[in-house]
Amino acid sequence: MTTSPRRIDVHQHLVPGLYRDALARSGVTEAGGRALPEWSPEAALELMDLLGTETAILSVSTPGTAFLTDPREAAGLARRLNDFAAALPARHPGRFGWFATLPMPDAAASAHEAERALTELGADGVTLLANNDGDYLGTGGQDALWQVLDEHHAVAFVHPAELPGPAVEGIPPFAADFLLDTTRAAYLLVRNGVVRRYPNIRFVLSHAGGFVPYASHRMAVAIAADTGRSPLDILDDLRGFHFDTALSSSPAALPTLLAFARPGHVLFGSDWPFAPTAAGQYFANGLDHGVGPGTLAAIDRGNAEALFPRLAGSAPAPAAARPLPARLRRSAQRAAARLFFNLVQPGTN
C-alpha cells in the first residue's frame, strides 16, 4: 500500500447506540446474516489509518428503518440518526462525512427528510436500500423522492438489503443475496427510466454494482426486448452508475468492473465494520496490486472528489501522534496483510 493514499471511503458504516437499541427492541440482532458489529468513531479512525483512508462517508446499513412498521416511528428514527451523524464531522474535522438515512418505503416522508438533511444538516448524500420490505427502488410511487434528489444534484448511495424471500440455508445473505439485491434495483432504475427522468442524481452502487458489470449485456438485451429501447442506450444508462470497490477489488472482479464502468466512476469502499478489518485489508491490497498508479489515485481519491467537491483540494487531515509501538504494530499488520494476499492468489495452471 502506498504510504499515504489519502483515500476517501464511500462505503463505511456507523452503528450508533441509539440504532442498536432500536433494533434490539424489535428483536433484530444481525444484518445480512452477520451479527451487528461494534462501532465507535475511535475504532473507525483506527481502521481508516490502517487502510490509508483520510475521510469516510458514513451510512447506516440494512435494515435502515424498514424494520419499523409504524411510518412515524421510522421517520423519527431516521431523523435521530441523521442528527447523530451530522455532529461527527465537527468532532473529527476532515475525517468523516455522511449519507442521510431515509424512512423508505415512505417516499413522501423520505423526500422531506432528504430535504432537511441536504439543506440544513449538510449531508453528503442519502442512503437508499435496494429494497425496503420488498419495495424496490425504481418501482412506482417514488417520484416525490426522486424530484428532491434531482433538484439537489444529490449523491444516492444504493446499499443492498435482504431479499424479499426466505434465505437459503447455508448461504448467508451478505455472501450472495446482497449482490442480487443491488442488481435488481439497478435493473429497475434503468428499465423504468428513473435515471433518464432524473439525470442529476448520482447513484453509487455498492459492492461493484453486484452482478451489473458482469451481466450488463444480458440485462440490456432483456430490457430492450421488454421496452423496445436500444440496447446501446440501456448499456449507457447502466454505465452511468458509480460503483464502489467494497469486498470487490479482487483479481477476478476488479478487471470486469474497470472494463465496464465509465472512467471516473469507480470509488474506494471498505464496508467496515460489517466487513472486518482483515477483509478490508485484503481487498485494499487487491486494489493496490491490481491497477496502475494513475487509476489507483483516481479510485482512492480523485473520483470521489468529483462527487464531493468539498473534499477536493482539502489539506490533509491532521494525523494523531502515535507512540512507536503502535506505529510498528500497524506496519506489521500491513506487511502481514500483503503477504497473505499474495499467498492466497490462484496459480496460472
Side-chain angles (χ1 to χ4, degrees), residues 65-87:
T65 66
F67 67 97
L68 295 171
T69 57
D70 185 335
R72 291 173 299 179
E73 289 186 20
L77 177 58
R79 187 180 185 92
R80 293 193 300 276
L81 286 169
N82 293 334
D83 289 341
F84 178 92

Side-chain angles (χ1 to χ4, degrees), residues 301-315:
R301 186 175 184 89
N303 297 341
E305 286 182 329
L307 281 183
F308 309 104
R310 73 176 184 84
L311 299 177
S314 60

